Amino acid sequence: MKHVFLDHNYDQGHILMKDLENQQDCIVIYRDRMHKSKLISSQYCHLLFGKLKNRTKALEKLIWKTFLRQHIDSDTQTIAMVTSWYTNTLLGLIKEMFPQAKLILLMRDTVMSNTQRNKEFKIEEAKRIFDLILSYDNIYDVPTYGLTYAPVYMSKSDDIPAVKCKYDISFIAEAKDRAGMVNGLYRKFAANDINSYLYLCHVRKSDRLNPSTIIYADKFMKRNKMLRKELEANCILEVLKGDAHSCTLRFWEAVMYNKKLYTNWKGVVNSPYYNPKYIKVFEKPDDIDLDFIRERLDVDYNYQRELSPIHLLNRIRQL
């Protein structure tokens, strides 16, 4: 294949990248599907990405070499990866084994979050290694670090069955630093008989409301279930984490599937999809317009697959 995409686990990556899975000149490899055998794939992930103190560099290098020889052709033109694949051993072997291939890094999170999550990730070193770094954060990371802007490309599913509206508003996410805001919003909703579906994972016990109907989970919800729960709501809620300056996938899910959006992303008013009938901005829970959440209306953003990863592939084909 001319173009290789190394994406995150299948559950999330497939939702984003499935438009590319049948393209003739590219291949998408998901981190938890590095081998045809689920067992071997699981072992690969454990050995290559797990926090193993007794893992040797020789073993890591051997596994990576085996993987690269099996999946990447010698004449590959580009190799694009998300940051969850970022390891110094892998990058060194790619440079050694495929010197002609251009390397592209797809950043779906902020530089700060990637640096905190991955000890090997350093943005200045990444700029030296990669031929192109695409970041969704055009407000801070792109100008601050000299990166190139690109949205988080996402495929639209056309085979989602129709669902009934069960909730007034929904929010599903990892808590990070958002628990306080979401708890405050819950109090506002509960006091005004707003039927909300709020699902937060990795929330410290000290930050949990009791009693409440917020679902505090230890694991993130599967993407297909998450999308279904969002589509069962009249309105999707978007809450940015503290270091974020651009929209999340909640914005794009609202646009793709024609749902109303309530967001604390102030930049939404500059989006070509912004329509005050469909989108409201808040700063604090007291700003919430309850009538907007309750009102049922037909929503149409006239989305024409502008976010499809086909556009990413076309961009890469031109490098």
Side-chain angles (χ1 to χ4, degrees):
M1 292 292 180
K2 292 182 179 179
H3 310 290
V4 176
F5 292 87
L6 304 179
D7 211 286
H8 197 56
N9 294 346
Y10 180 83
D11 177 61
Q12 175 170 318
H14 172 70
I15 291 284
L16 301 179
M17 302 294 279
K18 70 177 182 178
D19 284 355
L20 299 186
E21 290 175 356
N22 295 320
Q23 294 294 306
Q24 296 299 312
D25 61 344
C26 77
I27 183 173
V28 183
I29 303 172
Y30 300 106
R31 209 175 69 159
D32 56 349
R33 297 197 173 187
M34 296 170 64
H35 195 278
K36 293 179 181 179
S37 164
K38 289 185 179 181
L39 177 60
I40 295 176
S41 288
S42 177
Q43 290 174 338
Y44 274 6
C45 283
H46 186 61
L47 288 167
L48 297 173
F49 303 111
K51 298 178 180 179
L52 300 179
K53 294 182 179 180
N54 59 347
R55 176 178 56 205
T56 66
K57 283 292 181 183
L59 176 60
E60 183 183 3
K61 198 169 184 179
L62 175 62
I63 296 173
W64 277 128
K65 275 190 173 182
T66 302
F67 166 76
L68 292 171
R69 286 170 179 155
Q70 288 176 342
H71 294 284
I72 301 182
D73 298 332
S74 59
D75 59 348
T76 294
Q77 295 177 7
T78 62
I79 300 174
M81 68 173 65
V82 297
T83 50
S84 59
W85 285 79
Y86 191 107
T87 73
N88 293 328
T89 302
L90 173 60
L91 291 169
L93 286 171
I94 289 176
K95 285 286 190 181
E96 175 187 320
M97 297 170 66
F98 310 98
Q100 81 291 344
K102 292 187 177 180
L103 281 179
I104 301 155
L105 185 63
L106 310 176
M107 293 191 62
R108 296 173 179 160
D109 206 342
T110 61
V111 168
M112 179 184 294
S113 291
N114 278 295
T115 303
Q116 292 172 345
R117 189 164 48 241
N118 185 345
K119 292 181 180 179
E120 295 189 40
F121 178 81
K122 295 178 175 59
I123 188 60
E124 293 304 323
E125 181 69 9
K127 288 168 63 177
R128 185 187 67 79
I129 294 171
F130 287 86
D131 298 284
L132 178 65
I133 300 180
L134 299 176
S135 166
Y136 83 105
D137 185 357
N138 60 331
I139 303 300
Y140 185 81
D141 283 356
V142 167
T144 300
Y145 300 105
L147 312 180
T148 301
Y149 169 73
V152 177
Y153 293 97
M154 182 178 178
S155 304
K156 181 182 178 183
S157 298
D158 294 319
D159 55 352
I160 296 177
V163 295
K164 292 183 179 180
C165 186
K166 296 181 180 179
Y167 313 102
D168 294 317
I169 193 166
S170 70
F171 178 70
I172 304 165
E174 187 173 2
K176 298 183 179 177
D177 58 2
R178 293 175 282 204
M181 174 66 80
V182 174
N183 288 342
L185 290 165
Y186 167 77
R187 292 188 183 99
K188 177 82 172 184
F189 298 152
N192 292 277
D193 295 321
I194 294 293
N195 183 14
S196 62
Y197 183 89
L198 306 177
Y199 182 105
L200 280 179
C201 63
H202 303 145
V203 180
R204 292 177 298 185
K205 290 186 178 180
S206 60
D207 291 334
R208 300 182 182 188
L209 290 182
N210 188 19
S212 80
T213 60
I214 300 175
I215 300 172
Y216 297 110
D218 295 326
K219 293 183 179 180
F220 199 69
M221 186 182 292
K222 293 289 186 181
R223 283 288 305 179
N224 282 334
K225 181 180 179 181
M226 175 180 173
L227 184 57
R228 187 173 70 251
K229 285 296 182 184
E230 288 178 338
L231 297 185
E232 289 175 347
N234 184 50
C235 183
I236 292 175
L237 175 65
E238 177 180 58
V239 180
L240 271 61
K241 58 191 179 72
D243 67 330
H245 306 89
S246 298
C247 67
T248 70
L249 291 180
R250 305 296 82 74
F251 166 77
W252 287 111
E253 286 156 353
V255 168
M256 284 184 185
Y257 299 103
N258 292 319
K259 305 298 287 186
K260 290 196 296 183
L261 178 75
Y262 226 134
T263 178
N264 66 343
W265 174 43
K266 296 178 181 178
V268 72
V269 298
N270 299 315
S271 166
Y273 300 102
Y274 177 71
N275 184 327
K277 292 194 302 181
Y278 307 151
I279 298 175
K280 282 270 191 179
V281 181
F282 76 97
E283 185 174 344
K284 56 188 183 299
D286 286 344
D287 298 335
I288 295 296
D289 180 347
L290 301 170
D291 290 335
F292 173 80
I293 295 175
R294 294 189 182 105
E295 181 186 17
R296 268 50 172 174
L297 75 163
D298 293 329
V299 177
D300 186 3
Y301 294 98
N302 192 30
Y303 175 74
Q304 301 296 321
R305 297 188 181 274
E306 291 88 351
L307 201 68
S308 170
I310 292 293
H311 299 296
L312 170 62
L313 178 59
N314 289 336
R315 186 172 185 172
I316 287 174
R317 284 169 175 156
Q318 297 172 9
L319 291 177

